[in-house]
Amino acid sequence: MRLTDYLDKGASLGPGAPCLTTGDRTLTYGEVQELSWRVTRALDRSGVRPGDKVAVLSANDSTAFSCVFGISRAGAVWCPVNPRNEAAENRELLDLFDCTCLIFQEAYAPLVAKILPDLPKLTTLVCLDGSADGSADGSPDGSPDGSPDGSPALATPFARWLEDVPAEPWEASPADDTVMLVGTGGTTGSPKGVMLTDRNIETMSALTLMSYPFGTRPVYLALAPLTHAAGVLCFPVMTLGGEIVIMPAPDLTDFLAQIERHRVTHTFLPPTLIYMLLGHPDLASTDLTSLRCLWYGAAPMSAARLAEAIDRIGPVMAQLFGQSEAPMMISTMAPEDHFHADGSLAVERFTSAGRPAPLVTVAIMDSAGRLLPPGERGEIVVRGSLVMAGYYKNPSATEEASRHGWHHTGDIGYLDADNYLFIVDRAKDMIISGGFNVYSAEVEQAVMEHPAVQDCAVVGLPDDKWGERVTAVVQLHPQQSVTDGEMRAFVKARIGGVKAPKQVEVWSDLPRSKVGKVLKGDVRSRLLHRGSHG
């Protein structure tokens, strides 16, 4: 299935059904189809050919997401670009991806103007919601031609770009099976482009539908960026003719109101936002009875907070574990898997990432390429049609990630006797203290059990005595306090003195990525910088 097939499948179940809703505006499946046909024809008129790369730079928006299906119909490759990235990172990604067309919101015109001089391959620019620079329109083919006063217009307004384009079915044959190019981000050096194929997305969608509870016409609430997990989760929802309610900005008060208003059945939140939701004053008074599945993932979840979420939100918590290179569904844990057969909480599973998904093979490998038995720790490796085609124009990185015939996730973990997958750390986050391997994720779980703690990050810092000292940086709930001695004793009682933090810091907030992950590299850098300055 191409990306457009998910939309067409939903439309076949009723073109008048709601498809994309933002605020008070709803586009039906038929309307999104017609818009995608017009976008396809406009792309073709602008010179975009099958295999060309088309980037979308936008906050969560119905029209922007509709363009994705036009890109697919044109046989082009969708390049989702996160507007929260730094300008330099987006310039690097657009250059790396060889993008020839950029569709963007007017709010990001300053960013586009800043990076455009360094992107000669970018010849077609379209502004979704304005003229992008306050000057007159550009030329109808989408190139940034001059305006009547002689000044160059940054981009063609979307309405002008679609002028005289009929809303009639048309599509081109794709050049190959690549449907998405996803940037890995620059947190581990230069960004890489993950090539995802139609088979990757089809496998992910199938795993979603077979692993979690769905009924007819689900209602999916997208708060997290559509450039990430929230976006690809739309595709399986569309196969059932479901409605996708899109939130332009992350606001938990509005999030709760939308669940009640639209009778939302499915949604996704990273753990950090779930912790904030549990402290929200409107949670107890909101009707959440429509929810069937609240996915959590993208970072480790505190077992203590997970139990609280099940109690206060409902028996709807559902875990997923994946990465850009193997999207979303390496392992899954449905709501029912959080319970024993007798209805009691299966707390021993709460620190796991669930079981390997049905169409995915997961194993644990040592540094020599040997597969390890249950209970032994090593790198989590994956095989199957979920795994990417490779990194765009980077054969050495592709070869490195696929050593010994398996995709290497960079995560350390183990499989238990019941085939539950436990992720103990990112390989790069492991701390060696006093000659012992200390997994930061394990220490974080212990810290998060403290009732005063809202969120935390555990990192290793250079230490003359220990080699690295375990350092915990905690963010507390409002009006809460804890001393470093209390926290050290609390953790020591749970996982022992070797793993207990030697240093405890209390910060008002933690640095986070665009998708809500705590940035441990930033935490560590700040601590090191402060230490070097006395």
Side-chain angles (χ1 to χ4, degrees):
M1 290 181 71
R2 292 166 61 175
L3 298 188
T4 187
D5 291 325
Y6 299 95
L7 169 63
D8 293 345
K9 174 67 176 179
S12 74
L13 302 175
C19 179
L20 302 176
T21 296
T22 305
D24 295 325
R25 176 176 179 246
T26 295
L27 296 174
T28 66
Y29 272 88
E31 289 169 335
V32 176
Q33 264 190 323
E34 290 186 359
L35 183 55
S36 73
W37 293 330
R38 296 184 71 198
V39 168
T40 299
R41 290 173 177 271
L43 286 167
D44 181 62
R45 186 169 69 177
S46 296
V48 173
R49 298 293 172 254
D52 286 353
K53 316 303 187 297
V54 180
V56 180
L57 174 64
S58 168
N60 285 359
D61 177 79
S62 294
T63 304
F65 196 65
S66 298
C67 288
V68 169
F69 300 100
I71 294 167
S72 173
R73 287 194 202 284
V77 178
W78 172 37
C79 303
V81 181
N82 196 313
R84 299 185 206 173
N85 289 346
E86 295 297 324
E89 186 177 346
N90 279 335
R91 184 205 60 75
E92 195 172 357
L93 285 173
L94 291 168
D95 182 54
L96 170 67
F97 292 168
D98 298 315
C99 288
T100 61
C101 175
L102 173 63
I103 301 171
F104 65 97
Q105 283 183 318
E106 187 174 18
Y108 306 108
L111 186 157
V112 174
K114 183 176 180 180
I115 63 178
L116 188 59
D118 297 320
L119 296 169
K121 289 173 279 193
L122 202 55
T123 55
T124 301
L125 288 93
V126 180
C127 183
L128 284 165
D129 51 356
S131 60
D133 58 356
S135 65
D137 297 346
S139 64
D141 71 350
S143 58
D145 285 357
S147 57
D149 64 3
S151 63
L154 181 62
T156 300
F158 191 62
R160 165 70 74 88
W161 189 55
L162 295 183
E163 244 175 29
D164 304 322
V165 176
E168 296 173 0
W170 182 79
E171 63 183 41
S173 297
D176 56 34
D177 59 356
T178 303
V179 295
M180 286 178 71
L181 264 181
V182 183
T184 59
T187 55
T188 54
S190 297
K192 296 190 286 289
V194 176
M195 295 187 291
L196 294 178
T197 67
D198 43 21
R199 179 61 59 86
N200 297 148
I201 301 301
E202 182 177 333
T203 302
M204 185 221 76
S205 298
L207 291 172
T208 306
L209 294 167
M210 70 174 63
S211 300
Y212 302 101
F214 281 92
T216 55
R217 297 207 182 276
V219 180
Y220 170 57
L221 179 57
L223 172 144
L226 291 171
T227 50
H228 290 70
V232 290
L233 283 169
C234 293
F235 301 131
V237 170
M238 285 180 152
T239 66
L240 302 174
E243 180 179 7
I244 296 156
V245 180
I246 297 171
M247 292 183 61
D251 179 312
L252 289 178
T253 300
D254 189 38
F255 175 79
L256 289 169
Q258 297 284 355
I259 290 176
E260 193 167 286
R261 176 184 175 190
H262 293 285
R263 303 298 295 163
V264 168
T265 60
H266 295 71
T267 190
F268 169 86
L269 290 178
T272 293
L273 286 182
I274 294 175
Y275 304 157
M276 294 171 67
L277 188 68
L278 292 173
H280 197 283
D282 295 346
L283 179 62
S285 59
T286 302
D287 180 2
L288 303 174
T289 55
S290 60
L291 276 179
R292 299 194 65 188
C293 198
L294 196 166
W295 286 296
Y296 62 94
M301 175 88 174
S302 158
R305 297 291 182 272
L306 179 54
E308 183 184 351
I310 291 170
D311 178 52
R312 299 185 56 207
I313 297 172
V316 298
M317 305 305 293
Q319 187 172 187
L320 45 80
F321 162 61
Q323 53 182 197
S324 298
E325 294 89 339
M328 308 299 293
M329 302 291 163
I330 292 173
S331 62
T332 63
M333 189 154 68
E336 64 186 34
D337 294 330
H338 292 69
F339 297 88
H340 295 128
D342 64 3
S344 60
L345 290 177
V347 291
E348 72 280 2
R349 299 174 191 161
F350 282 13
T351 54
S352 83
R355 286 184 167 124
L359 306 179
V360 181
T361 303
V362 175
I364 308 299
M365 183 178 285
D366 67 12
S367 57
R370 185 173 64 95
L371 298 184
L372 301 175
E376 288 198 30
R377 296 179 175 195
E379 186 175 7
I380 300 168
V381 293
V382 184
R383 274 180 176 168
S385 55
L386 189 67
V387 175
M388 66 169 180
Y391 294 112
Y392 185 62
K393 298 198 304 185
N394 196 337
S396 61
T398 301
E399 185 179 354
E400 174 67 17
S402 54
R403 302 184 310 280
H404 309 297
W406 293 78
H407 170 67
H408 290 249
T409 65
D411 288 307
I412 299 169
Y414 65 93
L415 289 160
D416 73 3
D418 295 319
N419 208 35
Y420 277 88
L421 177 66
F422 288 78
I423 304 166
V424 296
D425 222 342
R426 290 291 295 169
K428 61 184 175 62
D429 291 335
M430 189 179 73
I431 302 163
I432 302 176
S433 184
F436 292 94
N437 291 347
V438 177
Y439 299 103
S440 62
E442 184 180 3
V443 184
E444 286 163 354
Q445 285 285 347
V447 171
M448 287 295 295
E449 289 183 31
H450 195 289
V453 175
Q454 177 174 308
D455 210 346
C456 75
V458 171
V459 299
L461 295 179
D463 188 275
D464 291 339
K465 178 180 179 182
W466 301 99
E468 287 185 290
R469 67 179 176 276
V470 181
T471 304
V473 179
V474 299
Q475 176 186 350
L476 301 179
H477 290 293
Q479 285 81 54
Q480 296 290 317
S481 63
V482 65
T483 69
D484 57 352
E486 288 170 349
M487 183 54 71
R488 283 200 301 269
F490 182 85
V491 176
K492 182 179 179 180
R494 281 156 178 76
I495 56 176
V498 171
K499 300 173 184 176
K502 305 291 188 292
Q503 178 180 342
V504 178
E505 302 266 338
V506 177
W507 292 2
S508 59
D509 200 2
L510 297 170
R512 303 178 200 284
S513 73
K514 282 79 67 175
V515 292
K517 290 184 184 179
V518 173
L519 295 170
K520 290 189 184 181
D522 288 9
V523 171
R524 191 171 185 274
S525 295
R526 194 185 302 179
L527 290 166
L528 288 171
H529 178 77
R530 193 184 63 195
S532 66
H533 289 73

